[in-house]
Amino acid sequence: FLKSNKDNDTLKTISTGDKSVQNILISPDGRFVTYRLMTAPAQASKGTIVPDYMAESGYTSDINGRTKVGNALPRYESFVYDKQKEAVYPIATDSLPGITDQPDYVKDYPQRRMAPRPRPVQIAGPFWNEAGTAAVIDIRSQDNKDRWIMQLNPETGKLSLIDRQRDEAWIGGPGISAFGPTVGWVNNDVLYFQSEKTGYSHLYTHDLKTGTRKALTEGKYEVQNL
């Protein structure tokens, strides 16, 4: 019985070379598969060491930490696979608003000015609504200055802007961190997210149909979690 009812449908084989496959996600209707390819730096970055002065042994020991911010970072590319059309589309980020902007501090170091070029980014998501009719992605520049929330057209890989946040120091904070941004759906048309546009992390909604933005919280405090 099982053999006679076996599903013969298979996915297209996609070549990824020597790149690592990450963040595989499937749309609610099963039509679209999104994934990210990571290219490791040519040379492994050296980690940092933090002294542990309160070790159980009574002696100072070392705790291995993350690499330094200025070290070489992995490069990421994101794609959409359309099962219905058997086609793969790149999620292009070289036209994001402000993608070629350099940090303000470069103005003080003219010798460090470079020709405008798209900055490398990392994509989180997509975050699909329950009906599977809309998807948004969270994009961060690897220099930690910008964050974009974009609506993704999965049939083309094209993006449209919902929100851009920039911080000349470091884009981050509660609900904004790259380790788990707060992005979700109130219903199939209204998206919620957190932003530090006022200097404090607050909760906002955005109606995709009307383009209406609404602040749900405000003041000199931050929303820590939902």
Side-chain angles (χ1 to χ4, degrees):
F1 174 80
L2 291 176
K3 288 184 178 180
S4 63
N5 287 277
K6 182 179 178 181
D7 185 357
N8 293 318
D9 191 16
T10 58
L11 294 178
K12 176 181 179 180
T13 299
I14 301 172
S15 175
T16 60
D18 58 354
K19 301 174 183 179
S20 299
V21 181
Q22 302 177 338
N23 201 40
I24 300 174
L25 297 170
I26 303 174
S27 63
D29 62 3
R31 174 179 172 180
F32 301 103
V33 179
T34 56
Y35 61 96
R36 183 171 66 209
L37 298 183
M38 187 271 284
T39 304
Q43 292 184 334
S45 298
K46 181 180 178 181
T48 55
I49 295 174
V50 180
D52 180 5
Y53 296 107
M54 300 296 290
E56 187 176 354
S57 66
Y59 293 88
T60 301
S61 61
D62 293 331
I63 301 174
N64 293 324
R66 58 167 292 167
T67 61
K68 293 193 174 182
V69 174
N71 287 350
L73 297 172
R75 294 299 174 118
Y76 299 96
E77 306 163 89
S78 292
F79 299 86
V80 179
Y81 168 62
D82 186 337
K83 182 180 176 183
Q84 180 175 303
K85 296 181 180 178
E86 291 194 348
V88 176
Y89 309 104
I91 300 178
T93 59
D94 54 1
S95 296
L96 292 173
I99 189 62
T100 61
D101 290 355
Q102 295 186 14
D104 283 355
Y105 70 78
V106 174
K107 299 174 184 177
D108 297 325
Y109 302 91
Q111 68 277 13
R112 297 193 63 179
R113 289 182 180 271
M114 298 180 293
R117 60 182 180 183
R119 288 172 287 159
V121 300
Q122 182 173 350
I123 293 176
F127 305 92
W128 289 89
N129 64 2
E130 186 175 356
T133 56
V136 298
I137 59 176
D138 184 285
I139 307 175
R140 294 177 62 91
S141 60
Q142 286 191 299
D143 64 5
N144 299 296
K145 304 300 181 189
D146 279 279
R147 176 199 186 199
W148 297 266
I149 298 176
M150 310 288 291
Q151 184 172 2
L152 169 67
N153 182 338
E155 295 189 31
T156 62
K158 301 296 183 181
L159 303 174
S160 54
L161 181 66
I162 293 175
D163 187 69
R164 178 192 177 190
Q165 301 159 39
R166 182 172 176 86
D167 190 323
E168 286 296 331
W170 188 288
I171 190 75
I176 302 168
S177 168
F179 298 104
T182 297
V183 178
W185 295 90
V186 177
N187 55 46
N188 287 320
D189 297 319
V190 180
L191 173 79
Y192 69 82
F193 62 92
Q194 283 182 246
S195 169
E196 281 192 330
K197 64 180 296 183
T198 65
Y200 296 86
S201 182
H202 282 294
L203 188 63
Y204 297 82
T205 59
H206 181 89
D207 190 315
L208 294 183
K209 283 190 173 181
T210 65
T212 305
R213 179 77 46 79
K214 181 179 180 181
L216 299 183
T217 62
E218 59 182 349
K220 295 184 178 180
Y221 64 92
E222 295 194 309
V223 176
Q224 292 291 317
N225 53 61
L226 297 179

